[in-house]
Amino acid sequence: MANRKDVAKLAGVSEATVSRVFNNIGPLREETKQKVLQAAEQLGYHPNALAQSFARGKSYNIGVIVPYFQRVNLLTTHYFSELLNGIGSKLGELGYGLLLLFQSPDAPKDFLQLFRTQRVDGCILLGSKDIPGEVEAIEQLHHLNLPYCLVNQTFSGHSFHSIDADHENGSFQAVSSLLRKGYEQIIFLNGPMEFSNSAERLKGYETALNNAGIPYNSKLVFQGNYSRKSGHQAAAEIAPLLPDINAIFAANDRMAIGLMQGLSEQGYQAGRDYALIGYDDSEISIMTNPPLSTVKVPLFEMGQLAAEKVLQFISQDIKEEINERLPVTFIERASSQLKPTYTQQSKL
């Protein structure tokens, strides 16, 4: 690792001059400044005191990092649009701008670069995954006490700053509502397990079954990727289980709606042939036929709170861990009001 002394030697200046360049202190000749910056770039040097560096010259921008997929406009989804609206409203209220930053899932993660270039005073991460590379990049932010916050993602064994919702309880509420109607076998269409909220929804599903004295059956659990397309594709696997098992819980509304469409093509109608519950309470959930039962997640409020916490880090130098979970609410509509007319017997 190059240090300040190495940069000074290569640039032909004193260590004090290197420090003045990176801390933007006092008058500096442009020629001297460029020599130092070029030497630092050549050696791959970055100041250790990043937190002090960005505090000396604020951009009044907060970077919001979202995943980028070709031909997929995530910003049109209820999930991302609500979070971004919440973040933007709070930042605007407090005099900050939102800098939207797209990151390819396959690209190396280097969140520190945002601070090194002083493009942002803090950052909020949406769509983070528990995968190698990403965990290490967040660890760097945390270790350096930089203002950041994860939204809707936690990491087991790490005390990363996060704002989340009580997804385990949301799943428990949804599945319990079906159990109270008399369903003894419930299909679960979950999302990828690298998202902590998928693991939490699975835990809520299992807890609800256990409380009702019903054994967990892995053959009733399917996985999509939170897209409507994956819900539609799952219909091919789930249709053969109907009508023997006619209660389904999907981990978000988009998959639930895709599943409705796929099962409709095979002659099954939600609310008539099977009970269906989604998750998120997206705007379209009330427009489906029949309207979709769902779990309301306060995404807008989560975005607001994440922005507020990051700004508190910046203005008040707060260092304690952020770990807040907002409550969720089950909303029943026509898609899950069907009641079983017989005791289900699983053939699996």
Side-chain angles (χ1 to χ4, degrees):
M1 291 286 291
N3 56 35
R4 188 171 59 186
K5 184 177 181 179
D6 298 327
V7 175
K9 183 178 180 180
L10 181 60
V13 299
S14 68
E15 290 185 50
T17 299
V18 174
S19 180
R20 288 169 59 202
V21 168
F22 281 101
N23 288 300
N24 197 27
I25 297 174
L28 289 165
R29 293 177 58 189
E30 185 62 27
E31 180 182 355
T32 301
K33 183 178 179 180
Q34 290 304 318
K35 282 183 179 179
V36 171
L37 293 176
Q38 288 171 9
E41 183 178 0
Q42 183 176 336
L43 294 171
Y45 168 78
H46 301 287
N48 290 328
L50 285 174
Q52 294 177 356
S53 176
F54 76 77
R56 291 180 181 274
K58 294 180 181 178
S59 69
Y60 290 93
N61 283 322
I62 300 298
V64 180
I65 302 170
V66 297
Y68 171 75
F69 299 93
Q70 285 190 340
R71 296 184 295 276
V72 178
N73 189 355
L74 292 180
L75 302 187
T76 62
T77 67
H78 172 80
Y79 175 81
F80 282 103
S81 64
E82 282 293 291
L83 286 175
L84 289 170
N85 282 336
I87 293 169
S89 71
K90 180 58 66 174
L91 292 180
E93 176 185 325
L94 299 177
Y96 270 75
L98 186 159
L99 185 61
L100 194 58
L101 304 163
F102 292 95
Q103 186 141 45
S104 169
D106 301 324
K109 303 299 185 291
D110 184 7
F111 304 132
L112 293 185
Q113 183 64 23
L114 302 176
F115 293 93
R116 293 184 183 123
T117 59
Q118 296 194 8
R119 293 171 61 196
V120 300
D121 299 335
C123 69
I124 298 172
L125 285 71
L126 308 183
S128 297
K129 295 181 180 181
D130 191 354
I131 56 176
E134 190 144 354
V135 178
E136 289 78 6
I138 299 169
E139 280 181 331
Q140 290 181 313
L141 292 177
H142 194 77
H143 177 70
L144 292 169
N145 290 322
L146 294 173
Y148 80 93
C149 189
L150 303 170
V151 178
N152 209 40
Q153 176 73 13
T154 57
F155 291 83
S156 178
H158 297 275
S159 57
F160 296 150
H161 305 308
S162 67
I163 300 297
D164 211 336
D166 193 350
H167 297 298
E168 181 179 343
N169 181 257
S171 177
F172 178 85
Q173 289 184 51
V175 177
S176 295
S177 74
L178 293 170
L179 292 167
R180 285 193 297 270
K181 286 183 168 60
Y183 294 101
E184 297 177 3
Q185 303 293 326
I186 299 171
I187 295 168
F188 180 32
L189 176 58
N190 199 10
M193 293 304 288
E194 57 260 35
F195 295 114
S196 61
N197 52 82
S198 298
E200 291 163 10
R201 288 185 181 97
L202 179 61
K203 187 175 181 181
Y205 169 81
E206 291 186 61
T207 301
L209 294 177
N210 290 336
N211 287 359
I214 297 173
Y216 171 80
N217 185 347
S218 62
K219 294 182 179 179
L220 296 181
V221 178
F222 300 83
Q223 183 177 302
N225 63 9
Y226 288 122
S227 69
R228 187 169 63 179
K229 181 179 179 180
S230 70
H232 189 274
Q233 292 171 336
E237 298 178 83
I238 292 173
L241 303 180
L242 303 178
D244 298 297
I245 301 172
N246 55 356
I248 306 172
F249 170 49
N252 77 338
D253 290 346
R254 286 165 62 83
M255 290 196 299
I257 292 168
L259 182 61
M260 285 177 69
Q261 293 172 329
L263 292 178
S264 176
E265 292 167 5
Q266 301 191 49
Y268 295 105
Q269 181 179 334
R272 184 193 70 188
D273 303 307
Y274 64 95
L276 176 65
I277 297 175
Y279 201 99
D280 284 341
D281 191 31
S282 59
E283 291 181 357
I284 199 171
S285 64
I286 202 168
M287 303 176 188
T288 59
N289 184 24
L292 180 65
S293 295
T294 186
V295 176
K296 181 174 180 61
V297 181
L299 297 170
F300 183 86
E301 292 79 4
M302 289 166 64
Q304 282 191 315
L305 187 56
E308 181 179 325
K309 292 297 183 182
V310 168
L311 294 185
Q312 285 178 1
F313 265 97
I314 295 169
S315 63
Q316 301 176 23
D317 201 33
I318 295 175
K319 299 303 180 189
E320 68 265 19
E321 178 187 343
I322 299 172
N323 186 5
E324 296 195 29
R325 287 179 179 267
L326 278 63
V328 299
T329 307
F330 173 63
I331 299 174
E332 184 165 40
R333 300 189 180 114
S335 70
S336 67
Q337 290 179 355
L338 170 74
K339 293 185 178 181
T341 56
Y342 57 91
T343 300
Q344 300 177 48
Q345 299 294 328
S346 175
K347 295 182 179 181
L348 298 180

